[in-house]
Amino acid sequence: MDYIIVQAGGKGTRLEYLTENKPKALVPIDNLPMLFHLFRKYPDKRFVIIADYKKEVMREYLEVFAEVKYNIVDASGTGTCSGVKQAIDLIPDNEPFMLIWSDLVLPKDLRLPDGYEDDTGVPSEDYVGLSQSFPCRWKYENGEFVEEKSTRYGVAGFFLFTNKSKIADVPESGELVRWMQQNRMQYGTVGLAGTREFGLLEEYEKSENSKCRPFNKITVEGNELIKEPVDAQGVKLAKRECAWYEKAKGLGIQILPKIYATDPLKMEYIIGKNIFECDLEYEQKLHILESLVSSLKKLHEAEKVPADSFSVKEAYFHKTFDRLAKIQDMIPYGREPVITVNGRKCRNVYYHRRTLEKALDKLVLNCKEFSFIHGDCTFSNMMVRETGEPVLIDPRGYFGYSELYGDERYDWAKVYYSIAGNYDQFNLKRFRLHIGDNSEDGVNLEIASNHWEELANELIKMTGSDEDEIKLLHAVIWLSLTTYAWQDYDSVCGAFYNGIYYLEEML
């Protein structure tokens, strides 16, 4: 089987705010859009995606981020029959194929029946998937479709066909399963136990917001945390992270977890919380911030090397615009000179590239030496032990083209990113993005608070940083987050809008 049709139509209204700006197939589950779980499971297949609601968002998003062979059809008609006839027109005669609803995330160990799995011959039977682990409105039992809620025999929105002639007469509109019932279609059955279905908001909210990016896997064994890469990007990042821990250990840095091994990375499981998860009084926050700044200063002072101006330019300017270049057509109003964000008229950074470059060049010129830096010291990468002492985790391990060493202002800007920008709540999808009907209406972005904003000025004072430099870097960090946070369309857009919002103050 080389072809998969994905029914990705429908407004996904039961997912409420999650589909305000995007089709439900792009709602992230475990840090991947639902559709991309299917791409990851079957990377060598050819996908025909049926789209209607927010179909232009689907087109722009897949054009930037999809790494599989795909075609999109603009569905005509309504209901689950919508677009199916158009989709099968793209499948050759006598070719077996899968038809699946976009809100299903299949288990990793699911094996298809003979003939549909690779190298198992030619399929001789059509199949319907039975949910087995979640309730469905229709059931298929004893060779019949019945409109009756069932888990054991639930019709999950998963079908396998030996060829497209089996559903050649499907109507343009209507409910596909009801049409199958009326035509007394017969199927073999395949169990889908372990499949997750995300048609309802409550099902989505039951799933945990993972703090780990999809290129890592984290497991905990006793008092040990094991962090392993799962793809090529993860391998590269893991190598840098391990090198950073080894260097920090050699320099006698004290605010780190215990490191037991580096292949894979095995470290102390910290008994405590992320800083932003702690319910603290002002004086407690001030004490933690003082301890954190003092510890980072010791880190920065531990070892210094001459600055590399090319790395500064790469980290602040080139990387940012390399990422932005991919998404201009994907961002609503990305081609407009001015976009209103939270009531502020903001100049679109795409039209002010050279202005920003000149501002950043000043930071390049006055950076004379590099320090040993963490590189990603947001609150998400800091724990607070039960004793109240901060612990640095998840170092980046590079800055521009430089390994281990970089501009210490970048560390301070990353802390500011959590204090003033509430990045950590944004990272956990605790935000709402409303996109207006035009650039004048603009967008409204509301991010939950870390409740540290009142310490933003204290951070500047404690570090002795230039406030304008830190605020400029803060805006740039948001802009650079865009394609790094690619797994969620709303996060990509939200990071861009927040970036130009903060940048407007500094341009």
Side-chain angles (χ1 to χ4, degrees), residues 7-242:
Q7 177 50 279
K11 291 186 176 181
T13 52
R14 294 182 299 165
L15 289 171
E16 299 180 23
Y17 67 90
L18 294 170
T19 54
E20 179 181 349
N21 306 311
K22 60 185 179 291
K24 64 181 179 181
L26 298 186
V27 171
I29 300 295
D30 298 337
N31 265 325
L32 271 183
M34 284 191 272
L35 181 59
F36 281 63
H37 284 277
L38 204 56
F39 291 170
R40 290 275 178 99
K41 185 169 180 61
Y42 301 110
D44 299 324
K45 306 303 181 187
R46 296 175 180 233
F47 290 85
V48 181
I49 299 160
I50 300 170
D52 55 11
Y53 174 71
K54 300 290 183 183
K55 59 189 177 185
E56 291 311 313
V57 170
M58 177 76 81
R59 287 185 181 279
E60 298 293 348
Y61 188 89
L62 294 188
E63 188 172 306
V64 176
F65 297 118
E67 296 180 348
V68 296
K69 300 181 183 73
Y70 73 91
N71 265 317
I72 295 176
V73 297
D74 294 343
S76 59
T78 59
T80 48
C81 287
S82 174
V84 173
K85 184 177 284 291
Q86 296 161 271
I88 62 176
D89 283 345
L90 298 178
I91 295 179
D93 294 337
N94 302 314
E95 285 284 345
F97 65 96
M98 177 192 298
L99 170 59
I100 183 172
W101 281 200
S102 67
D103 55 8
L104 296 181
V105 176
L106 300 174
K108 292 181 180 179
D109 59 355
L110 176 68
R111 186 169 177 82
L112 302 179
D114 286 350
Y116 293 97
E117 200 70 58
D118 291 342
D119 302 321
T120 56
V122 178
S124 58
E125 187 176 6
D126 302 330
Y127 289 88
V128 59
L130 302 185
S131 60
Q132 297 184 328
S133 53
F134 59 90
C136 298
R137 188 166 63 87
W138 285 86
K139 73 175 185 179
Y140 184 79
E141 185 180 7
N142 298 324
E144 290 186 52
F145 287 104
V146 179
E147 191 174 1
E148 181 180 308
K149 189 173 183 179
S150 176
T151 295
R152 184 177 180 184
Y153 299 106
V155 178
F158 174 99
F159 304 91
L160 298 170
F161 294 99
T162 56
N163 64 78
K164 67 182 184 181
S165 67
K166 302 297 183 70
I167 54 172
D169 296 327
V170 64
E172 188 175 83
S173 297
E175 191 174 357
L176 185 62
V177 176
R178 190 178 302 281
W179 174 77
M180 291 177 174
Q181 177 200 48
Q182 292 168 349
N183 285 271
R184 302 184 180 279
M185 296 182 71
Q186 297 288 302
Y187 295 91
T189 59
V190 54
L192 300 180
T195 294
R196 294 181 293 164
E197 191 252 1
F198 294 96
L200 297 172
L201 181 63
E202 50 262 39
E203 294 301 322
Y204 174 86
E205 291 181 338
K206 287 177 186 176
S207 64
E208 294 185 3
N209 280 325
S210 175
K211 297 178 186 177
C212 183
R213 296 288 182 189
F215 36 73
N216 289 322
K217 179 181 76 171
I218 286 180
T219 54
V220 176
E221 295 180 0
N223 66 344
E224 284 188 2
L225 184 147
I226 304 166
K227 190 173 181 181
E228 300 172 273
V230 298
D231 59 17
Q233 184 181 10
V235 170
K236 186 176 181 179
L237 293 173
K239 183 178 179 180
R240 283 171 157 164
E241 182 176 5
C242 291

